[in-house]
Amino acid sequence: SIPLLRTIAEAKQDSLRLAALASLYQLGCKEVLPQLINAASCGDLFAILFLGEAKEGIETLASLLASTDQNIRLNAALSLLLH
């Protein structure tokens, strides 16, 4: 449920936190999107993949295509294909 996900979204473990944020977004809590975009901008591959589901993430994904990290570029390109 949403209260439990909000608690998990504050976890220190990145994978737990990001999974909770993605779930909250999918349940309609759009206010968590900036945290997901920030994680993607920092190179988190899960967050990059998730932005493929969020139309607001297109600009971030496009900017990640210029990354020097091949994994980040690949994941950003694949996520853009979802749009």
Side-chain angles (χ1 to χ4, degrees):
S1 87
I2 290 178
L4 178 59
L5 286 171
R6 289 192 188 280
T7 299
I8 296 170
E10 296 176 13
K12 294 192 187 295
Q13 187 177 3
D14 287 341
S15 59
L16 270 177
R17 184 173 45 79
L18 290 170
L21 289 170
S23 295
L24 284 166
Y25 181 85
Q26 290 171 332
L27 289 171
C29 301
K30 305 299 184 199
E31 70 275 6
V32 302
L33 185 62
Q35 293 173 57
L36 289 163
I37 289 174
N38 183 52
S41 296
C42 291
D44 185 281
L45 299 180
F46 176 80
I48 292 169
L49 182 61
F50 174 77
L51 286 186
E53 300 177 24
K55 64 180 178 186
E56 302 89 349
I58 293 175
E59 287 183 32
T60 301
L61 292 172
S63 71
L64 291 172
L65 293 175
S67 173
T68 57
D69 185 308
Q70 180 180 6
N71 291 318
I72 291 173
R73 286 194 317 269
L74 176 63
N75 279 276
L78 291 173
S79 293
L80 283 168
L81 289 174
L82 296 174
H83 284 280

